[in-house]
Amino acid sequence: MLDARGRHLGPGALDQITTVHGVLHEIGAGSVRELLVLNKIDVAPPESVLALQRVHPDAVAVSAVTGAGINDLRAALAARLARR
């Protein structure tokens, strides 16, 4: 899950994602499918969320506070589980 607020975007967000991928590879989980969740969209600048979605088109944008995007997250999880 990535905090989508502006202060973590740009190279910092991409570095965070790269670091997580590195750790997953190190522990032997590099081939495990993942679902990137962009959290805190209620406080993130919309242009920042859109920029992340352009780089990661399968990411799901949500707000745990307002509930925005939670149905999209449920649907994405259900679709992935159905393919297992």
Side-chain angles (χ1 to χ4, degrees):
M1 184 170 298
L2 181 68
D3 183 336
R5 290 177 296 176
R7 65 188 173 132
H8 297 291
L9 297 178
L14 298 178
D15 288 346
Q16 182 180 355
I17 293 168
T18 300
T19 299
V20 169
H21 287 158
V23 170
L24 290 172
H25 181 72
E26 287 176 17
I27 64 171
S31 63
V32 175
R33 293 188 56 199
E34 67 180 23
L35 175 61
L36 180 61
V37 179
L38 308 174
N39 191 26
K40 300 187 180 180
I41 62 168
D42 55 307
V43 294
E47 63 276 5
S48 298
V49 176
L50 290 173
L52 279 170
Q53 288 176 314
R54 277 194 295 275
V55 175
H56 299 282
D58 293 331
V60 179
V62 303
S63 168
V65 171
T66 68
I70 297 299
N71 287 336
D72 294 336
L73 178 58
R74 285 186 182 128
L77 289 170
R80 286 172 186 254
L81 289 172
R83 286 183 254 168
R84 291 186 83 194

